[in-house]
Amino acid sequence: MSLDTTVVCVWLMSGFDRPLHYRLPASMEDMAQPGSLVRVPLGRRQVIGLIVEKDCEPEVSLMQLKLVLDLVYPTPIMTPELLKLGAWLRQYYGASIQNVLETMIPGPVRQGMKAKSDKYVSANKSVDSESLANLERKAPKQFELYQFLAQQFRAQKKSLVLSRLGASPAAYNGLLKKGFIVEESRKVERVAYDDELGDVEYASKQEIVLNEEQSACVDSISLSLKAGKFATHLLYGVTGSGKTEVYIAAMEEALRAGKSVLFLVPEVALTPQTVGRLRSRFTEHKDAHAVVWHSSLSDGERLDAWMALANGTARVVVGARSAVFAPLEKLGLVIVDEEHEPAFKQDESPRYHGRDVAVYRSYLEQVVCVLGSATPSLETYRNVKLGKYKVDRLTKRIDDRQLPMMHIVDMRIEMMRTRKPVTISSLLAQKLRDRWEKGEQSILFINRRGYNSTMLCNECGHVEECKHCSLPMTFHRSDNTLKCHLCGHEAEPPWRCPECNSDQIRGKGSGTQRIEDVVKSILPKASIVRIDTDTMGKKHLFREILGDFRKGKIDLLVGTQMIAKGLDFPNVTLVGMVDADLSLHVPDFRANERTFQLLVQVSGRAGRGDLAGEVVVQTFTPHAEPIQFARRGEVDAFLEVEIESREQFQYPPFRHLVRQVFRSRNADKAMFFAEQFARKLEARVGGKIEMRGPTPCSIEKMKDQYRFHIWYFTQNVSALMRDLKAVEAEIPFPKDVVQIFDVDPMSVS
Ligand code: ADP
Ligand code: ZN
Ligand code: ZN
């Protein structure tokens, strides 16, 4: 074996959670590069892996290394920067190689699926007339087929020629062998942007001229684009201030400079208008194909889209968090719309935050990152204060439209007045009637789904919980069942309280169905439609409803906060928030932030057209800070107060938080391993790490698994994760105890 054999370092899709070394056969020397997918032997199996490094020092002698078997695709599917990003994901989020690869590379690509190719056939025009005359005499069928193909302007699909024309395979193959016809393979073009949002008309046709504030923001981003280095901008603009047009102008500039663009939204299906606008702008750019990356792409579409990006055919990707790994060549600009949205956080390993990965990728690629929001996250706000991010502001709505007036209804007073539980206050009812009479539209938002959300015993306070998860069940009136929204378990609602046998067990709280009923009694003749998670599952229905609402066929939309994002309906002049408190009184240090963001987002849906908007917020705690700041539209002031309280308790963004969860069907076992972990870590780093727990999680039991967690606070995630991973490796976890890390967790339950 020659000494100059190339050794590559490979991450396997399955099997080992560490890089393995292989030798490259000479035939692959040039083609196999970092980022190439290869097939390699592993024991007796063959597995697919990713070359992460070339020319590495093997740990064992060359003789012991096995050879790479073959290349899955002729070109690398990952850029060098993406490989670095993968290494960072693995380390920062404490994830396994397999999880990282599964997250970064879509299934069909990972599994080595081949692009579908079709054979095309055309006549060989240079055949001389003598041979043709010969053919006509000896094989009239073949001659006929040749004649047909010779008359066509372009190559014909082989399958069509054989099926529709009824040409015999024998005649076809005969012609092919003699060289009368030629075959070529062509990739099928699958159109990846013709998706579920297809026929809704979202794009405004009118020519848009940016206003002064918008132009200033574009100029500021342009400066960074020209500098060609890493820079992060916060596009901080009130709802309806025209952020999307700023993104579009910046994207156009990057494209003109020959660069490509990555655009992230919290969820494609929930931001149809933003996606629709981008699509209508960028699918027209002939040389800058756009790919909309969303969950309902078929495997084939996903493969084509990925390959189109990897080879530079497509230069714009619009998608949810996983699009952050799109293999764009010559990346120039990364945009994260609604950067504060928790939906950017993935809730399985690696538990990455799409926004944070976007910023880190921008740093690796040395490009510009734009984060947009009306209510920036505290994390982003802190980076602005530290001078790490530039801020570009949009302080006014388009055409100086007023931000809606927000009324706060104190539901305690409302209940005292009526002496019974109230779903819709008299103020909200009166305004709903008023809008309907004027032919204007309204939206009502609620914090949860189902009819009377929980079953509560009025005698002893017992709440019906799911027996697999320690969570209250939700009552659904339509089929008279209790459902667990976590695991899907269904049960019959009890007639008597299982604790005290009282018959005073009732539904508590107001779900979407209940509110729909109440509103129907207030507006008996209006057209009212409800959207909730159940409706959301049916994409076509959702699209249809939004379309009808836009056309004015629906007067009032009732829905959960899921529909609060990004909708722009000019005729909506009233927005009601039925139970603002529900997100407030939860044991989460982000509760204030979430409630504030929700209120601002929700009220941002009103008054986007020529008519002024109004918002009615119903609450039992009218003086709570998030509600008051939202009422006055004081985002900066809210952020200031909130950041102070975070600093006082040294919560994020002042320190990073890492949550470690242990779960098992056996509660004692889960607790035992949690305690053992804590002890071993203590022995290793002794007092250097601030740690709390182990304690039971607030949802103690989930899907029949008991859960305990440990919290770590740190300034240096990478160092902490190194220690945690080292301790993890020391403990022989049994199969029935699962342990996970959640770095920078968004959920604390
Ligand atoms: P945001 O994302 O900040 O909430 P949008 O980008 O959705 O705001 O813009 C709100 C509305 O204003 C959209 O209908 C958009 O087409 C329109 N718009 C944006 N910029 C302009 C402009 N310069 N002139 C006219 N209309 C504009
Ligand atoms: Zn009871
Ligand atoms: Zn359950």
Side-chain angles (χ1 to χ4, degrees), residues 457 459-462 497 499-502:
C457 172
E459 298 278 336
C460 76
H462 166 84
C497 171
E499 285 294 320
C500 72
N501 209 29
S502 152

Side-chain angles (χ1 to χ4, degrees), residues 93-326:
Y93 291 105
S96 69
I97 281 180
Q98 196 180 339
N99 282 160
V100 169
L101 293 177
E102 276 170 3
T103 300
M104 294 185 78
I105 311 172
V109 180
R110 215 162 59 221
Q111 288 141 21
M113 185 172 147
K114 294 280 184 253
K116 222 167 134 189
S117 67
D118 260 333
K119 291 247 163 62
Y120 280 76
V121 57
S122 48
N124 178 359
K125 301 269 170 67
S126 56
V127 178
D128 60 61
S129 49
E130 200 180 322
S131 322
L132 271 181
N134 230 337
L135 184 72
E136 187 173 11
R137 236 178 316 117
K138 286 195 192 144
K141 279 247 171 69
Q142 291 187 16
F143 180 73
E144 212 177 293
L145 179 56
Y146 177 86
Q147 286 287 37
F148 168 79
L149 289 171
Q151 283 160 10
Q152 307 304 315
F153 282 114
R154 41 180 100 76
Q156 299 295 306
K157 228 186 202 167
K158 176 179 174 181
S159 54
L160 278 187
V161 171
L162 289 176
S163 64
R164 298 243 184 100
L165 287 174
S168 79
Y172 184 95
N173 291 331
L175 281 176
L176 195 62
K177 226 184 260 160
K178 284 180 258 179
F180 281 84
I181 57 174
V182 257
E183 259 185 9
E184 56 181 321
S185 289
R186 269 194 218 164
K187 278 228 198 86
V188 185
E189 292 273 340
R190 279 172 283 226
V191 189
Y193 25 85
D194 196 19
D195 63 14
E196 83 251 35
L197 310 165
D199 54 33
V200 193
E201 217 194 289
Y202 289 120
S204 65
K205 291 277 179 285
Q206 96 232 36
E207 195 56 47
I208 282 180
V209 182
L210 297 186
N211 64 29
E212 250 173 59
E213 281 194 336
Q214 285 173 315
S215 304
C217 292
V218 175
D219 289 347
S220 159
I221 297 168
S222 297
L223 267 183
S224 292
L225 283 173
K226 291 206 178 76
K229 282 193 309 228
F230 170 56
T232 308
H233 287 244
L234 168 64
L235 181 58
Y236 181 11
V238 298
T239 54
S241 58
K243 292 188 282 295
T244 311
E245 293 304 324
V246 173
Y247 300 142
I248 289 174
M251 290 168 86
E252 277 171 338
E253 173 141 357
L255 290 174
R256 272 197 301 275
K259 300 293 174 63
S260 58
V261 179
L262 173 59
F263 192 111
L264 299 180
V265 293
E267 258 173 87
V268 171
L270 293 179
T271 41
Q273 293 178 334
T274 305
V275 174
R277 264 152 79 190
L278 293 171
R279 185 211 307 277
S280 75
R281 283 303 250 298
F282 292 107
T283 44
E284 286 156 15
H285 271 250
K286 286 287 171 289
D287 55 339
H289 274 299
V291 166
V292 178
W293 191 259
H294 57 87
S295 57
S296 48
L297 289 184
S298 70
D299 279 359
E301 288 168 336
R302 214 166 276 280
L303 180 74
D304 285 1
W306 184 274
M307 293 303 168
L309 293 166
N311 67 29
T313 321
R315 288 164 56 206
V316 177
V317 191
V318 180
R321 61 170 182 262
S322 66
V324 74
F325 303 116

Side-chain angles (χ1 to χ4, degrees), residues 466-469 471 473 484-489 703:
C466 171
K467 63 179 177 193
H468 307 286
C469 317
L471 272 187
M473 308 268 286
C484 172
H485 284 171
L486 196 74
C487 74
H489 174 68
K703 300 181 186 169

